[in-house]
Amino acid sequence: MTKTIQLNTTERDPELWAIADSVVDPEIPVLTLVDLGVVRELKRMDKGVEVTITPTYTGCPAMDAMAADLKRAFEQKGFEPVTMKTVLSPAWTTDWLSDYAKEKLNKYGIAPPPNSTADKNALLGKPKEVKCPRCASNYTSMISNFGSTACKALWKCEDCKEPFDYFKCI
Ligand SMILES: [Zn+2]
Protein backbone atom coordinates (compact mmCIF):
# COMPACT_ATOMS: atom_id res chain seq x y z
CA MET A 1 0.00 0.00 0.00
CA THR A 2 1.45 3.32 -1.00
CA LYS A 3 0.19 6.29 0.89
CA THR A 4 2.38 9.24 0.12
CA ILE A 5 1.01 12.68 0.63
CA GLN A 6 2.16 14.92 -2.14
CA LEU A 7 0.92 18.44 -2.27
CA ASN A 8 0.77 20.30 -5.54
CA THR A 9 2.25 17.36 -7.39
CA THR A 10 1.37 18.75 -10.77
CA GLU A 11 2.96 22.09 -10.02
CA ARG A 12 6.15 20.67 -8.60
CA ASP A 13 9.15 22.54 -9.90
CA PRO A 14 11.70 19.78 -10.61
CA GLU A 15 14.72 22.01 -10.03
CA LEU A 16 13.50 23.22 -6.64
CA TRP A 17 12.48 19.74 -5.50
CA ALA A 18 15.82 18.29 -6.58
CA ILE A 19 17.60 20.85 -4.39
CA ALA A 20 15.36 20.06 -1.41
CA ASP A 21 15.87 16.34 -2.03
CA SER A 22 19.63 16.80 -1.64
CA VAL A 23 19.25 17.84 2.00
CA VAL A 24 19.35 14.94 4.44
CA ASP A 25 18.00 14.55 7.94
CA PRO A 26 20.87 15.45 10.29
CA GLU A 27 19.97 12.52 12.53
CA ILE A 28 19.11 9.95 9.86
CA PRO A 29 21.40 10.73 6.91
CA VAL A 30 19.81 8.11 4.64
CA LEU A 31 16.58 10.10 4.48
CA THR A 32 16.20 13.41 2.71
CA LEU A 33 13.81 16.04 3.98
CA VAL A 34 11.61 15.24 0.99
CA ASP A 35 11.58 11.53 1.94
CA LEU A 36 10.52 12.54 5.42
CA GLY A 37 7.65 14.64 4.14
CA VAL A 38 8.97 17.67 5.99
CA VAL A 39 9.18 19.82 2.86
CA ARG A 40 5.63 20.87 2.03
CA GLU A 41 5.86 23.48 -0.64
CA LEU A 42 8.52 25.17 -2.72
CA LYS A 43 7.62 28.35 -4.50
CA ARG A 44 9.69 30.42 -6.89
CA MET A 45 9.34 34.09 -6.02
CA ASP A 46 10.22 37.21 -8.05
CA LYS A 47 13.48 36.98 -6.24
CA GLY A 48 14.57 33.88 -4.42
CA VAL A 49 12.38 31.08 -3.19
CA GLU A 50 9.81 30.36 -0.50
CA VAL A 51 10.25 27.10 1.39
CA THR A 52 7.38 25.72 3.48
CA ILE A 53 8.12 23.00 6.01
CA THR A 54 6.17 21.08 8.64
CA PRO A 55 8.14 19.92 11.68
CA THR A 56 8.09 16.17 12.34
CA TYR A 57 6.77 17.11 15.75
CA THR A 58 6.62 20.29 17.76
CA GLY A 59 9.88 20.94 19.48
CA CYS A 60 11.84 18.38 17.48
CA PRO A 61 15.41 19.46 18.23
CA ALA A 62 16.54 18.60 14.71
CA MET A 63 14.11 21.00 13.02
CA ASP A 64 16.28 24.10 13.34
CA ALA A 65 19.20 22.28 11.78
CA MET A 66 16.95 20.99 8.97
CA ALA A 67 15.62 24.46 8.21
CA ALA A 68 19.13 25.95 8.21
CA ASP A 69 20.44 23.18 5.91
CA LEU A 70 17.55 23.71 3.47
CA LYS A 71 18.11 27.46 3.40
CA ARG A 72 21.81 26.98 2.74
CA ALA A 73 21.16 24.46 -0.06
CA PHE A 74 18.98 26.97 -1.93
CA GLU A 75 21.41 29.82 -1.33
CA GLN A 76 24.25 27.75 -2.74
CA LYS A 77 22.22 27.30 -5.93
CA GLY A 78 21.81 31.04 -6.21
CA PHE A 79 18.34 31.44 -4.76
CA GLU A 80 18.22 34.55 -2.61
CA PRO A 81 16.52 35.44 -0.46
CA VAL A 82 15.25 32.14 0.88
CA THR A 83 12.08 32.67 2.89
CA MET A 84 11.35 29.88 5.36
CA LYS A 85 7.75 29.24 6.32
CA THR A 86 6.56 26.75 8.92
CA VAL A 87 3.12 25.21 8.68
CA LEU A 88 1.92 23.22 11.69
CA SER A 89 -1.39 22.07 10.29
CA PRO A 90 -2.08 19.44 9.14
CA ALA A 91 0.39 17.92 11.57
CA TRP A 92 3.09 15.64 10.28
CA THR A 93 2.57 11.92 10.79
CA THR A 94 4.75 8.96 9.96
CA ASP A 95 2.21 8.16 7.22
CA TRP A 96 3.96 10.87 5.23
CA LEU A 97 7.03 8.69 5.03
CA SER A 98 6.99 7.02 1.64
CA ASP A 99 7.37 3.26 1.36
CA TYR A 100 10.71 3.99 -0.26
CA ALA A 101 11.74 6.03 2.79
CA LYS A 102 10.67 3.22 5.13
CA GLU A 103 12.72 0.75 3.14
CA LYS A 104 15.76 3.01 3.39
CA LEU A 105 15.26 3.33 7.16
CA ASN A 106 15.09 -0.43 7.53
CA LYS A 107 18.29 -0.94 5.51
CA TYR A 108 19.97 1.66 7.72
CA GLY A 109 19.08 -0.45 10.78
CA ILE A 110 16.20 1.64 12.08
CA ALA A 111 12.82 -0.07 12.32
CA PRO A 112 10.37 2.11 10.38
CA PRO A 113 7.05 3.01 11.96
CA PRO A 114 4.20 0.66 11.08
CA ASN A 115 1.49 2.04 8.84
CA SER A 116 -1.81 3.23 10.30
CA THR A 117 -3.48 -0.14 9.82
CA ALA A 118 -0.89 -1.74 12.08
CA ASP A 119 -1.39 1.05 14.59
CA LYS A 120 -5.07 0.22 14.73
CA ASN A 121 -4.05 -3.14 16.13
CA ALA A 122 -2.77 -1.24 19.14
CA LEU A 123 -6.24 0.24 19.63
CA LEU A 124 -7.67 -3.25 19.54
CA GLY A 125 -5.31 -4.29 22.30
CA LYS A 126 -2.89 -6.10 20.04
CA PRO A 127 0.76 -5.24 20.48
CA LYS A 128 2.36 -2.93 17.97
CA GLU A 129 4.33 -4.85 15.40
CA VAL A 130 7.89 -3.64 15.30
CA LYS A 131 10.06 -5.72 13.01
CA CYS A 132 13.73 -6.23 13.71
CA PRO A 133 15.57 -4.42 10.88
CA ARG A 134 18.29 -7.08 10.94
CA CYS A 135 16.45 -10.40 10.86
CA ALA A 136 12.83 -9.24 10.28
CA SER A 137 11.63 -11.04 13.40
CA ASN A 138 8.48 -9.72 15.06
CA TYR A 139 9.65 -11.04 18.43
CA THR A 140 10.89 -7.70 19.72
CA SER A 141 10.55 -5.65 22.88
CA MET A 142 11.13 -2.07 23.89
CA ILE A 143 14.12 -1.34 26.10
CA SER A 144 13.64 2.40 26.40
CA ASN A 145 11.27 4.95 24.95
CA PHE A 146 14.25 7.27 24.55
CA GLY A 147 16.84 6.21 22.03
CA SER A 148 19.89 8.02 20.69
CA THR A 149 17.70 10.95 19.65
CA ALA A 150 14.26 12.21 20.62
CA CYS A 151 12.80 10.71 17.43
CA LYS A 152 13.88 7.18 18.22
CA ALA A 153 13.15 4.57 20.83
CA LEU A 154 15.50 1.76 21.73
CA TRP A 155 14.22 -1.75 21.02
CA LYS A 156 15.72 -5.18 21.20
CA CYS A 157 15.22 -8.23 19.06
CA GLU A 158 14.60 -11.39 21.09
CA ASP A 159 15.66 -13.60 18.19
CA CYS A 160 19.01 -12.16 17.14
CA LYS A 161 19.48 -10.40 20.50
CA GLU A 162 20.51 -7.17 18.83
CA PRO A 163 19.30 -3.78 20.02
CA PHE A 164 17.98 -1.43 17.35
CA ASP A 165 16.47 2.01 16.95
CA TYR A 166 12.80 2.41 16.23
CA PHE A 167 11.60 5.54 14.48
CA LYS A 168 8.78 6.57 16.76
CA CYS A 169 7.47 9.94 15.61
CA ILE A 170 3.74 9.77 15.19
ZN1 LIG B 1 16.64 -9.65 14.94
Side-chain angles (χ1 to χ4, degrees):
M1 186 192 70
T2 310
K3 206 166 106 191
T4 310
I5 297 192
Q6 289 180 327
L7 299 177
N8 301 329
T9 314
T10 48
E11 297 163 35
R12 279 194 167 196
D13 185 316
E15 188 193 355
L16 297 184
W17 283 90
I19 295 170
D21 202 27
S22 71
V23 182
V24 297
D25 182 327
E27 290 176 352
I28 310 167
V30 285
L31 291 188
T32 74
L33 300 189
V34 173
D35 288 334
L36 270 174
V38 161
V39 180
R40 302 296 301 279
E41 210 178 341
L42 300 170
K43 219 188 285 172
R44 231 176 251 268
M45 310 303 275
D46 287 343
K47 271 178 143 190
V49 65
E50 189 183 84
V51 179
T52 306
I53 56 172
T54 293
T56 46
Y57 65 95
T58 316
C60 179
M63 270 327 286
D64 287 349
M66 290 184 191
D69 288 351
L70 265 175
K71 192 168 187 281
R72 202 173 315 120
F74 280 102
E75 283 169 356
Q76 277 168 357
K77 295 284 178 189
F79 289 95
E80 270 185 277
V82 180
T83 312
M84 300 299 296
K85 264 174 62 178
T86 303
V87 173
L88 296 175
S89 176
W92 184 88
T93 87
T94 46
D95 283 347
W96 291 11
L97 285 171
S98 62
D99 287 348
Y100 174 63
K102 288 182 183 178
E103 202 184 302
K104 282 206 282 186
L105 266 181
N106 199 58
K107 280 196 187 134
Y108 187 59
I110 299 174
N115 57 33
S116 311
T117 352
D119 266 347
K120 276 181 197 121
N121 287 337
L123 295 176
L124 299 170
K126 289 181 194 159
K128 209 183 245 180
E129 262 188 26
V130 175
K131 250 191 192 141
C132 170
R134 287 187 180 83
C135 70
S137 164
N138 280 326
Y139 185 33
T140 56
S141 57
M142 188 174 76
I143 298 174
S144 164
N145 202 23
F146 300 96
S148 53
T149 71
C151 281
K152 290 175 236 161
L154 190 60
W155 281 62
K156 182 181 135 202
C157 176
E158 304 291 352
D159 276 328
C160 69
K161 306 290 179 203
E162 289 291 327
F164 62 90
D165 279 329
Y166 167 61
F167 191 95
K168 70 171 179 186
C169 292
I170 24 166

